Amino acid sequence: MWKKFLYWMKLSFGFSRRESTGYILLMPFLLFLVFAPKVMNKLAKIEVDVQDQFLKNRIDSLQGAGFFKVEPKGLLFNPEDTAKKSYSERMGSIQKIPFSESDSVTLQIVPGIGPALAARIVNYRENIGGFHSEMQLEEIFGLKPEVVEKLWEFFEFDPGIYKKLAINELDVADLAKHPYIGYGEAKVIVAFRKQHGNYSGSEDLLKIKIFKSEWIKKLEPYLEF
């Protein structure tokens, strides 16, 4: 019978003996691929039905023990709770204070300013001795111009320099602590002072040829003679 089947396969499909044998061996696998999804779906449906019946039985048993299902009254979630507040609503609780009175905590009210940047702003203000221009804040690393603009929505800029450099008294290390003065510039300032005497005004710094007039003008508000 086997030989007859192989002979029929050869006449009908032109299969060789080896091809016919391979086809027969492959048939169970092909049938599995065809019917497996249907079988899996059927099993999954049976499992869901079993779980559903189990839950119904549990509910019936709880109700039999005296527990009853309570329908919630109203919405458990109110979309208005997460709605964005308008600018006027958000600013209604904010009182502007002078920027010179801000600290690393209150500065974090500004969008875009976190703890690290707030501390950096305060430290820069302390090291420089106060700001005389709003533009000076853009010198702070990591503080973007758009964040500076938002800053004035929460704080009032009050220009004022409260700490100046006694240029005729400070040594190299103390002068170099100022953000506008590097260690090299501080050494030149002290060396020129020792050689030519005390400075009488910012124009004396112009006598030091390596210093640019723009830099001296920038530094001038912080100098004390």
Side-chain angles (χ1 to χ4, degrees):
M1 184 176 178
W2 175 251
K3 292 182 179 180
K4 289 182 178 181
F5 178 75
L6 295 179
Y7 181 73
W8 176 81
M9 289 286 290
K10 181 177 181 180
L11 291 177
S12 301
F13 303 102
F15 287 174
S16 65
R17 183 184 183 90
R18 180 178 297 178
E19 289 172 340
S20 299
T21 303
Y23 178 77
I24 293 171
L25 295 175
L26 186 62
M27 281 298 295
F29 180 72
L30 293 175
L31 291 173
F32 174 78
L33 292 178
V34 171
F35 293 103
K38 296 181 179 179
V39 174
M40 295 299 293
N41 290 336
K42 185 67 175 178
L43 292 175
K45 185 176 184 303
I46 294 174
E47 183 179 359
V48 171
D49 292 340
V50 170
Q51 291 179 351
D52 185 57
Q53 186 61 44
F54 174 77
L55 290 175
K56 288 180 179 179
N57 293 337
R58 291 290 293 174
I59 292 173
D60 291 340
S61 63
L62 288 172
Q63 290 178 342
F67 293 93
F68 297 94
K69 181 180 179 182
V70 178
E71 296 293 339
K73 296 181 180 180
L75 292 174
L76 295 178
F77 169 73
N78 186 0
E80 294 183 359
D81 293 340
T82 58
K84 290 186 177 179
K85 295 183 178 180
S86 66
Y87 177 79
S88 58
E89 290 176 328
R90 286 188 288 110
M91 294 300 294
S93 61
I94 302 299
Q95 173 178 297
K96 282 189 175 184
I97 64 173
F99 176 69
S100 60
E101 298 179 10
S102 63
D103 55 31
S104 59
V105 174
T106 55
L107 282 171
Q108 295 183 51
I109 192 67
V110 181
I113 297 181
L117 183 54
R120 198 180 305 142
I121 293 171
V122 173
N123 289 337
Y124 191 84
R125 184 182 62 197
E126 294 298 318
N127 291 334
I128 203 173
F131 298 106
H132 60 80
S133 170
E134 297 178 10
M135 300 300 294
Q136 288 181 280
L137 273 83
E138 297 184 13
E139 300 169 359
I140 301 174
F141 176 76
L143 186 57
K144 299 178 180 179
E146 55 268 26
V147 178
V148 175
E149 291 182 8
K150 293 180 182 178
L151 187 69
W152 309 131
E153 297 177 5
F154 300 88
F155 298 92
E156 295 283 356
F157 180 71
D158 53 333
I161 297 175
Y162 55 85
K163 184 172 64 177
K164 292 196 173 187
L165 298 172
I167 193 171
N168 291 319
E169 300 175 10
L170 297 177
D171 58 17
V172 173
D174 289 331
L175 285 172
K177 292 178 182 179
H178 195 276
Y180 289 171
I181 303 177
Y183 187 76
E185 289 90 342
K187 288 197 300 180
V188 173
I189 291 172
V190 172
F192 188 89
R193 184 183 69 199
K194 289 180 178 179
Q195 185 175 0
H196 299 279
N198 288 344
Y199 298 95
S200 58
S202 59
E203 62 275 4
D204 287 341
L205 289 171
L206 291 172
K207 298 176 182 178
I208 305 175
K209 301 301 182 182
I210 62 173
F211 289 162
K212 293 182 178 180
S213 58
E214 295 84 1
W215 176 75
I216 295 174
K217 185 178 181 180
K218 180 180 178 181
L219 181 63
E220 185 177 10
Y222 297 96
L223 297 179
E224 181 179 71
F225 299 95

